[in-house]
Amino acid sequence: MSSYSASEKALHKFYLSNYFISRSSLEVEQILFGNKIKDLQVEAYVFISGLARSGTTALMRTLFATGEYASLQYSNMPILLSPNLWKKKLKLESRERAHGDGIKIDGNSPEEFDEYFWKAFLKDSYISDALEVHEVPGDILKKYQEYVKLICHSKGKKKYISKNNNNILRLDSLLELPNSRVIVLFRDPLSHAASLLKLHKSFSESQGEDPFELDYFNYLGHHEFGLGHKPFLLREAFMEEAAAYPKDTLDYWVFSWINYYEYLLSHLKESIHLIAFEDLTTKPGEVYGRLENLLEPETGIPVPNRHTPSTYSGLSCSPELKKRATGIYDQLKSKDLLS
């Protein structure tokens, strides 16, 4: 975050922390561009989700590269609710993102920015010490559809794609949208938890040194790890049970993995599709071949080279947690895209 100037940081804070201003900017967009999007039909909504570090960014970028989808991009920051009016883009040179995972970003890179819409219009009502499951009121869901139309209009597309790891909180509402699909990624629980723990420690350190970095993630609803970490409250007993596991231990992140994917298993529907991270990295051709059949892109999907993820040796956690997580992983694998 040190790459942002003082004026850029001030603009981020002014807009993203003031929901009245940001909601008003969307209202202005609707007034000015309402006639232009009146007859626009969004042909497909594709929502990519999963617990952080499961490959959601890689999948999003590959599908976005087909050129068929509109999405929010870094060039839309920070005036996220005015995709047509915000013409003065903040300059962002290509650089590695803060996760330190080798993924390069620039102004054209799509990213997890539409969570800000939910924060602004739900007024953080689902955010406390945890992120709570919620049903989106009909009027706000309709407002979201209008917002997506504005994004599509600004990009000249008729399909929309979003990567948002928080969408587990509102799955049922999103599936009410016409022609919507949710693609959820999952990963071997111990290596997944180790990756989350590694980033939790890294971001906790960097956010302690750079307060703007913490503000930035909080503004956007990114609470996966770091000093602003908030778990997903997917069942009432979670917070009490999670208190038994310190956040700097592998057990906590394995328990968080169980919490997320156990809930997902109980809420699977025909329009929710599962992809194993291991298949995405070792069998990309097969995975994207199935996605082509599912999403029917006009030009096909450019299959990326195989990716070699970080490996973790000597991982150890509670035998009970490991057994429970392995059982959930096996169930997910039996229902995924390649099964």
Side-chain angles (χ1 to χ4, degrees), residues 203-212 227:
F203 272 87
S204 293
E205 180 178 350
S206 62
Q207 289 170 352
E209 297 172 353
D210 181 1
F212 176 73
L227 297 179

Side-chain angles (χ1 to χ4, degrees), residues 143-211:
K143 179 77 72 175
Y144 179 71
Q145 289 179 272
E146 294 296 305
Y147 178 47
V148 169
K149 285 185 179 183
L150 288 165
I151 295 171
C152 286
H153 175 71
S154 73
K155 312 294 183 179
K157 308 295 181 183
K158 293 185 178 181
K159 297 179 181 179
Y160 180 71
I161 191 167
S162 162
K163 185 210 82 170
N164 188 341
N165 297 337
N166 288 357
N167 276 339
I168 189 76
L169 302 170
R170 57 186 78 93
L171 278 177
D172 290 342
S173 296
L174 293 177
L175 289 175
E176 291 179 19
L177 299 173
N179 304 314
S180 63
R181 294 186 182 276
V182 176
I183 301 172
V184 184
L185 287 97
F186 63 97
R187 183 176 180 178
D188 168 74
L190 262 64
S191 61
H192 198 165
S195 183
L196 288 165
L197 174 58
K198 177 183 176 181
L199 277 196
H200 177 65
K201 291 180 177 179
S202 173
F203 272 87
S204 293
E205 180 178 350
S206 62
Q207 289 170 352
E209 297 172 353
D210 181 1

